[in-house]
């Protein structure tokens, strides 16, 4: 009897240690957020100088620089490695359908975030605003032209640190003297002084900041071409596959600095804030924007997509996904809920070969909930930092987030890394990202739950259009062994 109790106690202690080790970074980050807010409020009473705030936020600034340092290597390796497996001739109809669904739902998440941001307007009256930059309003055709130029960069190396932008300047036009045609004499001396005429001159120049959109497009070309070449490109693909793992390994090292960086950034932000009430009010509106967007995504748009494509009651299907949804919400990782998503698909009589391919594929690429969060966060940080986005930059943000969401790294709170990447591309300061850590634990879970629902919906749609197609049977059988390896891989992707 005593030995059984001891074994049970040892088992509980072992489970507690495993759980503590698994969630240690989350616990430390949450504790650091609390310490950061407390320290910021206390130091704010002492009215610290600018130099004191500089050194208080230095660890956080170094943390952000570490993350920004890995953006280009991570993006290049992950995009080439991911797109190399999307060759329609190799993977067939089901891959094309799944990838199309993923890209369209990512775009849908971005559109929802943009629409709700302009309705709720979080950060519009921010106390952190330092003043709007003095720029001329861009012409829509110039915005579109810049977008096309950046999508297809003329120099791939230069695209890693510079991007194309149409710039405007004023030029004074000298007035012509008035001349009498009969006498050829200047008669302007007796006339009132003419008004100085200025005209706006535009020129296509380079501005600092990585051209993320162009890099993604170039890497997609390279990855797709490598996938088509097959065995000839195997060394090339192995190089980027290993490079992707190395970059992720280094990035996980850096993310252990998240508690220190978050504490430093939050403390310096709160200590230097003029109006704390306004800051938290704006943060609350931001959380409302993301939460409302996730609710609309899950309760309105996904049911409509399911009904239009399958012509069945979507809520009957979504009820069977409830357990997987809860596990995704509790764990903050859609990969952890993969077994439950398989079970939900089996209950709905979805071919196992379809679900075993689509679900892991979506867990790797599909992140519409994360795309919604990244878009709303980037617009919120831009607004609260005094750099509200014009129409052209909103379009760039939409395309950049929809595409880059396909390559989110397999690290905790990967969306924070993506937000830093997007803000850097748009030449927006990233220091205010520290405010997102305060509610990251909640927002991470609701967007993961949205991703889980989207994964299972994609499996149902794939079953509707590919499950009964004899042409996909052989493809699914060839892919099944490879997908099982993905499901049981030691590293899983967080949202």
């Amino acid at each position: 009897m005593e030995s059984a109790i001891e074994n049970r106690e040892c088992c509980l202690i072992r489970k507690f240690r495993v759980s503590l080790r698994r969630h240690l970074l989350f616990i430390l980050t949450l504790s650091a957020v609390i310490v950061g807010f407390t320290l910021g409020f206390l130091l704010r009473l002492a009215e610290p100088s600018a130099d004191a705030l500089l050194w208080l936020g230095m660890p956080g600034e170094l943390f952000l620089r570490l993350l920004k340092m890995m953006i280009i290597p991570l993006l290049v390796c992950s995009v080439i490695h991911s797109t190399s497996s999307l060759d329609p001739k190799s993977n067939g109809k089901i891959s094309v359908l799944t990838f199309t669904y993923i890209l369209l739902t990512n775009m849908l998440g971005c559109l929802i975030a943009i629409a709700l941001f302009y309705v709720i307007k979080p950060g519009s009256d921010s106390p952190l605003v330092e003043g709007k930059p003095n720029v001329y309003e861009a012409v829509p055709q110039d915005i579109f032209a810049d977008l096309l130029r950046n999508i297809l960069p003329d120099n791939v190396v230069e695209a890693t640190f510079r991007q194309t932008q149409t710039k405007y300047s004023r030029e004074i036009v000298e007035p012509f003297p008035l001349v009498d045609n009969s006498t050829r004499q200047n008669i302007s001396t007796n006339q009132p002084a003419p008004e100085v005429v200025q005209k706006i001159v535009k020129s296509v120049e380079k501005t600092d900041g990585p051209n993320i959109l162009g890099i993604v497009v170039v890497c997609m070309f390279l990855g797709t071409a490598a996938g088509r070449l097959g065995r000839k490109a195997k060394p090339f693909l192995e190089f980027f596959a290993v490079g992707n793992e190395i970059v992720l390994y280094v990035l996980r090292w850096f993310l252990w600095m998240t508690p220190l960086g978050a504490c430093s950034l939050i403390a310096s932000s709160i200590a230097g804030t003029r109006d704390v009430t306004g800051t938290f009010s704006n943060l609350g509106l931001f959380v409302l924007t993301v939460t409302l967007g996730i609710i609309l995504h899950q309760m309105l748009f996904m049911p409509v997509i399911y009904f239009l494509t399958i012509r069945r009651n979507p809520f009957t299907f979504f009820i069977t996904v409830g357990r997987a949804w809860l596990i995704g919400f509790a764990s903050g990782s859609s990969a952890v809920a993969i077994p439950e998503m398989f079970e939900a698909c089996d209950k709905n009589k979805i071919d196992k070969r379809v679900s075993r391919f689509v679900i892991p594929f979506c867990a790797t690429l599909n992140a519409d909930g994360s795309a919604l969060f990244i878009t709303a966060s980037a617009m919120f940080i831009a607004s609260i930092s005094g750099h509200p986005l014009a129409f052209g930059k909103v379009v760039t943000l939409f395309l950049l987030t929809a595409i880059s969401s396909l390559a989110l790294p397999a690290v905790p709170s990967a969306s924070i890394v993506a937000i830093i990447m997007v803000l850097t591309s748009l030449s927006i300061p990233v220091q205010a990202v520290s405010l997102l850590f305060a509610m990251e634990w909640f927002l991470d879970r609701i967007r993961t739950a949205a991703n889980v629902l989207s994964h299972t919906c994609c499996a149902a749609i794939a079953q509707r259009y590919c499950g009964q197609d004899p042409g996909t049977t052989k493809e699914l059988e060839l892919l099944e062994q490879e997908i099982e390896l993905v499901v049981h891989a030691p590293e899983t992707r967080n949202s």
Side-chain angles (χ1 to χ4, degrees):
M1 185 66 180
E2 292 180 357
S3 60
I5 294 175
E6 291 179 356
N7 291 335
R8 187 180 303 172
E9 291 178 352
C10 292
C11 183
L12 291 175
I13 293 174
R14 191 180 304 112
K15 288 182 178 179
F16 174 78
R17 288 178 178 176
V18 171
S19 178
L20 180 63
R21 190 180 301 113
R22 180 182 303 172
H23 299 95
L24 181 60
L25 181 59
F26 167 73
I27 296 172
L28 291 177
T29 303
L30 186 60
S31 302
V33 169
I34 297 173
V35 173
F37 275 111
T38 304
L39 185 62
F41 281 117
L42 292 176
L43 292 177
R44 185 171 175 270
L45 300 176
E47 298 182 357
S49 64
D51 292 336
L53 292 175
L54 170 66
W55 289 105
L56 179 62
M58 183 58 68
E61 181 181 346
L62 296 178
F63 169 66
L64 293 177
R65 293 175 70 90
L66 285 175
L67 296 183
K68 291 167 68 175
M69 178 178 65
M70 302 305 296
I71 285 176
I72 299 299
L74 172 66
L75 199 64
V76 172
C77 293
S78 60
V79 172
I80 291 178
H81 178 58
S82 299
T83 54
S84 63
S85 62
L86 299 178
D87 182 10
K89 291 185 178 179
S90 301
N91 297 344
K93 179 181 176 182
I94 190 170
S95 291
V96 176
L97 176 65
T98 305
F99 183 74
T100 303
Y101 170 90
I102 290 171
L103 187 59
L104 292 178
T105 51
N106 283 357
M107 290 182 175
L108 176 63
C110 296
L111 289 175
I112 294 173
I114 292 172
L116 288 178
F117 179 86
Y118 283 116
V119 171
I120 301 177
K121 299 180 179 179
S124 58
D125 299 323
S126 170
L128 297 181
V129 170
E130 300 174 355
K132 298 181 180 180
N134 184 19
V135 296
Y136 303 108
E137 190 67 25
V139 180
Q141 65 178 6
D142 294 336
I143 294 172
F144 186 68
D146 288 341
L147 181 62
L148 294 179
R149 294 188 187 104
N150 286 318
I151 288 177
L152 298 175
D154 55 354
N155 189 325
V156 179
V157 177
E158 187 183 38
T160 59
F161 60 92
R162 301 184 77 185
Q163 54 185 303
T164 303
Q165 183 180 1
T166 300
K167 293 188 177 181
Y168 303 88
S169 60
R170 290 190 182 274
E171 185 178 280
I172 299 177
V173 179
E174 294 291 340
F176 293 101
L178 299 177
V179 179
D180 189 345
N181 292 331
S182 60
T183 62
R184 299 296 179 182
Q185 293 181 352
N186 188 350
I187 61 175
S188 61
T189 54
N190 297 326
Q191 301 294 327
E195 295 183 1
V196 176
V197 179
Q198 293 183 346
K199 70 175 183 178
I200 296 178
V201 179
K202 61 182 180 180
S203 59
V204 179
E205 300 179 8
K206 299 290 186 178
T207 183
D208 292 336
N211 179 9
I212 300 295
L213 192 58
I215 294 173
V216 169
V217 172
V218 171
C219 291
M220 289 181 71
F221 286 152
L222 294 175
T224 303
R228 287 179 177 270
L229 288 175
R231 293 183 179 179
K232 293 181 180 179
K234 186 177 180 181
F236 177 83
L237 294 178
E238 287 180 347
F239 171 79
F240 283 101
V242 174
N244 187 49
E245 293 299 321
I246 293 174
V247 172
L248 290 178
Y249 200 80
V250 174
L251 196 58
R252 291 188 186 97
W253 285 350
F254 293 164
L255 285 176
W256 280 103
M257 285 188 62
T258 301
L260 177 62
C263 181
S264 170
L265 290 170
I266 291 175
S268 61
S269 297
I270 297 299
T273 300
R274 296 185 298 272
D275 183 7
V276 176
T277 304
T279 301
F280 281 94
S281 175
N282 287 316
L283 185 60
L285 290 176
F286 165 72
V287 174
L288 174 63
T289 302
V290 177
T291 304
L292 184 58
I294 295 295
I295 292 174
L296 289 176
H297 174 271
Q298 295 184 83
M299 301 301 295
L300 178 60
F301 291 101
M302 293 309 301
V304 169
I305 293 173
Y306 184 92
F307 177 77
L308 292 178
T309 53
I310 301 181
R311 299 291 180 180
R312 293 181 182 175
N313 185 354
F315 297 102
T316 303
F317 173 79
F318 292 160
I319 289 174
T320 63
V321 188
R323 183 176 174 84
W325 188 94
L326 289 174
I327 290 178
F329 179 84
S331 63
S333 172
S334 56
V336 175
I338 284 179
E340 297 298 330
M341 285 189 273
F342 284 162
E343 184 177 344
C345 291
D346 294 342
K347 290 180 181 179
N348 288 277
K349 299 180 180 180
I350 297 175
D351 192 326
K352 287 188 176 182
R353 293 169 301 178
V354 173
S355 63
R356 268 56 176 178
F357 170 72
V358 173
I359 295 297
F361 191 75
C362 285
T364 305
L365 297 177
N366 188 23
D368 38 2
S370 299
L372 189 155
F373 170 74
I374 294 169
T375 304
S377 299
M379 298 183 73
F380 171 70
I381 296 299
S383 179
I384 205 172
S385 300
H387 298 77
L389 299 181
F391 173 76
K393 286 197 173 183
V394 172
V395 174
T396 304
L397 171 64
F398 167 75
L399 294 176
L400 182 59
T401 305
I403 296 175
S404 62
S405 298
L406 302 174
L408 288 180
V411 294
S413 298
S415 297
I416 297 294
V417 180
I419 292 168
I420 295 175
M421 176 185 69
V422 170
L423 292 175
T424 303
S425 177
L426 297 175
S427 302
I428 296 172
V430 299
Q431 282 73 17
V433 171
S434 60
L435 294 175
L436 302 181
F437 286 105
M439 296 301 297
E440 169 64 8
W441 62 273
F442 170 71
L443 298 178
D444 187 20
R445 278 154 176 75
I446 62 172
R447 64 180 184 260
T448 299
N451 293 339
V452 168
L453 191 65
S454 182
H455 299 346
T456 52
C457 186
C458 182
I461 294 174
Q463 170 68 20
R464 168 70 174 79
Y465 292 99
C466 300
Q468 306 300 325
D469 187 356
T472 61
T473 302
K474 185 176 180 180
E475 297 161 3
L476 290 168
E477 290 175 351
L478 293 174
L479 288 166
E480 187 172 5
Q481 183 177 1
E482 178 183 352
I483 296 304
E484 287 296 329
L485 294 175
V486 175
V487 174
H488 296 96
E491 299 294 346
T492 56
R493 169 184 176 170
N494 292 344
S495 59

